[in-house]
Every structure is written in structure tokens, then in C-alpha cells.
Amino acid sequence: MTKRIQLSAALPEAYKSILHLHTVDLYTELERAALALTDAMTRLPQNQDVPDDVYQQATSVFTEDQYVAVAWVATVINAFNRLGVTSHKPLPADPK
């Protein structure tokens, strides 16, 4: 589990190598689809759309309700990140 969490922190740098290698067994098909959709939604300001292959991957593995849930979670996370960045509030110190 720790390795999976650490690797997810490396996204989007590792996006292509992690999400597009079908031999990687650290993430399930559902997890890869959720990560790809979340990354695509995060990049909407640059790309203006979710790529067709990402949309097709997500809709092929998620039910409609699951797709909506992942999209909403990604939207909320992105909103909080944008608010956090624009507030210039410093991060809390690491607990020791």
C-alpha cells in the first residue's frame, strides 16, 4: 500500500509510465481509470477537454454513478487545491 501511495504522489510526472503500462499491477483497472480521469480533469485549463481515450477508458470500467462520483471528487479536490494555492497560506509543519 505504501508504494502505491508514494507512486501516486509522483503523478503527473509518472503518469505515462504508470497509467499506460498494462503490465503494472500496482493499480487496478478502476484505479488507473480514476487516476487518468482525475489527471485529465486537472489539466482542463491547458487541454480544454478530457481526451477521448481517457473518457472511453473511464466509461468502460465505471458505472454511470461511479463515473459521476470520481468526477465530483476530482472536481472538489481541484477546487480545494486552487483555493489553497491562491490563498498563499503556508503549509503546516511536519509533525515529528
Side-chain angles (χ1 to χ4, degrees):
M1 179 61 117
T2 302
K3 190 174 193 178
R4 291 163 30 107
I5 292 170
Q6 289 170 342
L7 284 175
S8 69
L11 294 170
E13 293 81 12
Y15 172 75
K16 289 182 182 175
S17 63
I18 292 172
L19 298 178
H20 290 184
L21 291 177
H22 299 289
T23 59
V24 174
D25 60 357
L26 292 174
Y27 299 101
T28 68
E29 186 176 18
L30 289 170
E31 291 168 332
R32 286 192 302 271
L35 289 168
L37 181 58
T38 300
D39 185 67
M41 292 177 67
T42 301
R43 296 172 187 276
L44 282 174
Q46 294 130 354
N47 300 332
Q48 306 300 308
D49 203 355
V50 171
D52 290 340
D53 63 325
V54 173
Y55 177 79
Q56 290 168 352
Q57 176 190 17
T59 56
S60 73
V61 298
F62 294 131
T63 65
E64 184 176 347
D65 287 344
Q66 289 171 323
Y67 181 89
V68 170
V70 170
W72 270 103
V73 169
T75 299
V76 170
I77 291 169
N78 276 302
F80 283 135
N81 286 338
R82 281 166 173 74
L83 290 170
V85 168
T86 58
S87 74
H88 289 256
K89 184 176 179 183
L91 295 173
D94 282 336
K96 298 194 184 212

